[in-house]
Amino acid sequence: MRILIMAAGSRGDVAPYTGVGVRLREAGHQVTVAAPESFAALVTECGLGFHGLPADPRGPVRPEAGSAARREGPAAERGGTAALIRKAAAFIRDLGDGLADAADAQGSELLLLSTTTAPLGWHVAEARSIPSLGAYLQPVAPTAEFPPVVGGGRSLGRWGNRAAGRLALRVVDRIHAGAVQDLRGRLDLPPVAPRAMRRRLEKAGWPVVHGFSPTLVPRPADWRTGLDVVGNWWPHVPADRRLPETVEDFLRAGPPPVFIGFGSMAGGEGERLSELAVRALRRAKVRGVLQAGWAGLSSAGTGTGTGGAPAGGTLTGDALTDDVLTIGDVPHSELFPHMAAVVHHAGAGTAAAALRAGVPAVPVPVTADQPFWARRVAALGAGTDPVPFGELSVERLAEAIRKAVDEPSYRARAVRAAAALDAQDGAGEVVKKVGELGS
């Protein structure tokens, strides 16, 4: 079949679908990924088709989002719920037309819809009479077993968790209401409220596969039939990919270092975070590897000011000190097994990558679903208690690093989790599901 994977958001919202796409291509399907233009190289270097979407997750808040949203800017990343909702709404309004254009351009016979694209993709599938499959990276269906993954805190009890989960979906539907109205008008579909559309799909038993490990989040017992947890989808890494020579040299030069990276979080805070990270590493008496990411971390403790590093993997100039190396886009699957511990923002993909490597974690959640994954890693015993981003300090980070490195139980439990993840084939389960839909 001609399959179109619709994914939008930051790198962690797109990269896992490259692994799924490659497996589908190897099974004989023609696969295109529709994602923001900034991820074109990420997709095409895997041998998959690419269709650019107009929504840029790194773009500024749109003027019509209001002066408060523009003022808060990066503060939306730090967990302000209202700011996060405004930023999401602005992003979504740019997305609908792009999804419709992508489906038309590719002559798609099946749509795979991510958590971020499904509320709009449903309407494209209806208008073009294309079958669709949910391919989610987060558990968003309400359950009594835990509160909503975005914006939820501690458990509210079984009744409270389910009620909060339903409320969270109503918030999502409200954010999408304007974009849905515009998209259905363009597609010549009669008006329908997002909540009504969701109920229609639930009643029909619309299938969703979830690309995270049941080792970390077992499938809730109260989920309906058709909602499956199949295991992680790992970003595709070419078989001949190797760590950059500078990284290899650094690893050989001393004991295993500690990784620190915040992925697509904390843009504009590179100088503060760089200084904090370097001081914490030295206070903990460990070597370190900083991944520049959107924050632009630098081993000089000043920030790169670039918001990232070249695709070649390492920065130049102040990127290397005797005890700390700054890197750019290096696959976590190649790097993490060499680390003594991994300090990360607890994005779903990064948290899973640390578990897969059998390395203890220090979760530093910033926003959205990250506190959920941070608590899950800690509950598994494969990482320290989360250090909330807003409470991050040199002293607290250094203490958590030493704890992760010195306490053998963290590594032992991470190694056990790695064995479980290795036995799961999440992408293979997607291939099976697609085969069932096409038969």
Side-chain angles (χ1 to χ4, degrees):
M1 289 189 289
R2 291 187 299 276
I3 298 174
L4 179 63
I5 302 174
M6 293 179 165
S10 66
R11 185 185 182 91
D13 298 307
V14 176
Y17 296 101
T18 62
V20 172
V22 167
R23 290 289 294 277
L24 287 168
R25 185 194 65 204
E26 291 172 349
H29 302 289
Q30 179 182 320
V31 182
T32 299
V33 177
E37 289 283 358
S38 55
F39 299 116
L42 173 71
V43 172
T44 56
E45 70 180 8
C46 299
L48 303 173
F50 179 78
H51 185 100
L53 296 176
D56 181 0
R58 297 193 66 177
V61 178
R62 291 162 59 106
E64 56 268 38
S67 59
R70 293 197 301 277
R71 277 198 310 274
E72 288 172 84
E77 291 180 352
R78 293 196 291 269
T81 302
L84 191 64
I85 289 174
R86 283 191 291 269
K87 188 174 181 180
F91 174 76
I92 289 161
R93 294 193 77 92
D94 288 336
L95 189 57
D97 285 346
L99 297 180
D101 290 341
D104 291 342
Q106 302 304 320
S108 307
E109 296 170 303
L110 176 66
L111 303 181
L112 263 60
L113 305 178
S114 72
T115 319
T116 50
T117 60
L120 297 172
W122 295 329
H123 308 278
V124 176
E126 177 188 350
R128 301 296 183 252
S129 299
I130 305 172
S132 64
L133 170 67
Y136 287 5
L137 295 172
Q138 297 85 14
V140 298
T143 174
E145 296 185 15
F146 47 79
V149 299
V150 176
R154 301 291 177 179
S155 176
L156 303 172
R158 296 186 63 81
W159 182 89
N161 287 341
R162 283 196 63 84
R166 290 191 291 268
L167 177 61
L169 291 184
R170 285 200 289 273
V171 171
V172 171
D173 291 338
R174 187 161 65 245
I175 293 171
H176 284 81
V180 165
Q181 181 180 357
D182 294 344
L183 181 59
R184 289 186 71 87
R186 171 190 162 162
L187 296 171
D188 294 324
L189 292 172
V192 65
R195 189 177 178 189
M197 185 68 173
R198 188 184 297 276
R199 285 176 170 172
R200 182 190 305 173
L201 290 163
E202 287 295 305
K203 186 176 181 180
W206 185 64
V208 181
V209 288
H210 294 81
F212 51 82
S213 173
T215 302
L216 199 56
V217 184
R219 182 187 184 277
D222 57 353
W223 271 7
R224 66 166 172 82
T225 301
L227 303 179
D228 298 316
V229 176
V230 299
N232 284 96
W233 304 325
W234 306 112
H236 177 69
V237 178
D240 60 352
R241 184 78 178 265
R242 297 291 181 269
L243 290 173
E245 186 175 348
T246 307
V247 178
E248 294 276 14
D249 290 344
F250 183 77
L251 293 174
R252 285 192 292 265
V258 170
F259 171 94
I260 298 180
F262 297 100
S264 302
M265 295 288 106
E269 297 195 48
E271 184 171 349
R272 179 182 75 86
L273 290 175
S274 296
E275 180 181 4
L276 188 154
V278 171
R279 289 176 60 197
L281 288 166
R282 290 173 179 161
R283 186 183 183 101
K285 295 181 171 56
V286 294
R287 302 196 313 147
V289 172
L290 305 185
Q291 188 159 47
W294 285 10
L297 299 184
S298 166
S299 57
T302 59
T304 66
T306 64
T314 58
L315 294 172
T316 58
D318 66 4
L320 176 62
T321 63
D322 289 341
D323 58 347
V324 184
L325 173 71
T326 305
I327 62 171
D329 184 10
V330 174
H332 290 164
S333 59
E334 302 298 309
L335 180 66
F336 283 2
H338 301 283
M339 299 294 107
V342 173
V343 179
H344 59 67
H345 63 296
T350 309
L355 286 179
R356 185 190 192 191
V359 176
V362 177
V364 184
V366 182
T367 189
D369 60 335
Q370 295 157 18
F372 173 83
W373 297 111
R375 288 193 296 271
R376 286 281 162 166
V377 169
L380 201 61
T384 67
D385 288 339
V387 181
F389 184 77
E391 301 173 17
L392 194 60
S393 68
V394 171
E395 295 75 15
R396 193 163 178 186
L397 181 56
E399 181 183 0
I401 289 172
R402 283 270 33 123
K403 191 174 182 181
V405 172
D406 292 342
E407 175 51 61
S409 66
Y410 291 124
R411 181 170 288 272
R413 287 167 181 161
V415 168
R416 275 203 299 273
L421 267 61
D422 189 55
Q424 297 159 7
D425 183 12
E429 293 299 317
V430 177
V431 173
K432 289 181 186 177
K433 179 64 72 173
V434 167
E436 293 169 4
L437 292 175
S439 61

